[in-house]
Amino acid sequence: MKPEYRLHFAPDNASLVIRLALEELGQPYETVLVDRRAKAQRSAGYRALNPNGLIPVLETPDGPLFETAAILLWLAGRHGAMAPAAGSADYAPFLKWLFFASNTLHADLRMLFYPEQYIGADKAQQAQLQSVLRQRLHQHLTNLDRAAAGRPAWLGAPQPSVLDYYLACQMRWMALYPADADRSWFRIAEYPSLQRLCAGLEHRTAVTTARQAEGLGAAPFTSPAYANPPEGSAT
């Protein structure tokens, strides 16, 4: 029987978060490589699935879905796992931090990785923007670390949530990208609760499967290495 899900991915892109969620949920899925070297994400065929030309896209029985947080929330709701139940006391705090991860943390990461897309080719201006963003990201992680220190059921708990995997991937990317820039500002040990979260995930079967599929190394969150083969880059 053909799987219900088809994931359009590139190694070490935001599609990694969706792969991890599907593996954790135990859902079978097909994968389609989006070759970023050939700019396949900008092709007419891909834009028919996601007009924004961004990765990932998850094809589902309800049609193609895009935007990482939207896919995660849809999967959690459809399968009744990896998120607090709607209407429960935990649901509101879970939602606010999930959308913080998507709308604020991920948005700032994109600007850090691709400053030229936001302010043009001037290297001095790019460096200034990246300096500001590193300070912002440090504060974001400090706030998240405080939230995780309380060990809520939806952040760093023994049974991971979609938010756990989203944050672990984002911290991975902070340690690796931009590949040609100074990344010494990021030290995972400065965020002990988030470091604990990342270390706990690395022992899960879902992570083993995903890291083998995308060539991410033995410790993809606490001691990350670049994807091999490197068809993608963080997004």
Side-chain angles (χ1 to χ4, degrees), residues 14 23 41-42 51 63 66 68 94 113 117 119 121 125 142 149 153 160 193 196 203 205 214-215 230:
E23 291 289 346
Q41 72 273 24
R42 300 180 187 175
F66 53 85
T68 302
F94 163 78
F113 299 156
Q117 295 183 10
I119 60 171
Q125 290 184 0
T142 298
S193 296
R196 171 181 54 81
H203 300 290
T205 301
E214 300 197 13

Side-chain angles (χ1 to χ4, degrees), residues 15-33:
S15 50
L16 173 61
V17 189
I18 309 305
R19 184 193 289 272
L20 287 163
L22 289 166
E23 291 289 346
E24 188 68 44
L25 290 166
Q27 293 300 311
Y29 60 98
E30 297 178 341
T31 57
V32 180
L33 176 65

Side-chain angles (χ1 to χ4, degrees), residues 4-20:
E4 287 191 307
Y5 300 125
R6 196 171 194 229
L7 177 63
H8 296 256
F9 85 102
D12 217 10
N13 277 234
S15 50
L16 173 61
V17 189
I18 309 305
R19 184 193 289 272
L20 287 163

Side-chain angles (χ1 to χ4, degrees), residues 7 33 40 61 63 78 117 138 160 194 210 226 231 235:
L7 177 63
L33 176 65
R78 188 168 197 250
Q117 295 183 10
H138 171 66
L194 295 178
Y226 292 110
E231 285 96 341
T235 186

Side-chain angles (χ1 to χ4, degrees), residues 104 108 111 131-141:
T104 303
D108 281 355
M111 286 190 285
S131 177
V132 171
L133 287 167
R134 292 184 187 106
Q135 296 174 44
R136 281 173 53 87
L137 287 163
H138 171 66
Q139 188 59 57
H140 296 338
L141 292 175

Side-chain angles (χ1 to χ4, degrees), residues 200-220:
L201 292 176
E202 287 178 336
H203 300 290
R204 301 193 68 82
T205 301
V207 175
T208 299
T209 302
R211 68 177 177 78
Q212 290 175 347
E214 300 197 13
L216 304 182

